[in-house]
Amino acid sequence: MVGAPPGLVVVLLGIGFLADAAGYRFIFLAIAALLLVPLWFVNRVRESSTRTTEHTFDRRAFRVLLAPRYAAFCLVLILAGTTSRPASRCPSTGDGSPNSGSSRTATPR
């Protein structure tokens, strides 16, 4: 038996080869179709209408997110998202294509 980590690598390599051959749209649609199977099983589960006090959700638990450390973390994420430069921008041409200048070959003079 190989185990989960090598199996995950093999599956991800297979998805990468499929994405290269068929395109990312096909991969996203295939994954969405595969996720419909567990969704069907989850929707068949019925919960009881009455819950004990230990199993009820208290919405006041969201107040923890207003603590200063969580607010600071959210601020850092917002600043990082708004101030970082996209990696796909080509600095020489600025046209947005990641390989805009690398695929051209030099012509001899």
Side-chain angles (χ1 to χ4, degrees), residues 3-15:
L8 183 64
V9 169
V10 170
V11 167
L12 291 177
L13 280 172
I15 289 174

Side-chain angles (χ1 to χ4, degrees), residues 12 16 27 30 43 61 93 104:
L12 291 177
I27 294 297
N43 283 332
T93 60
R104 296 181 186 161

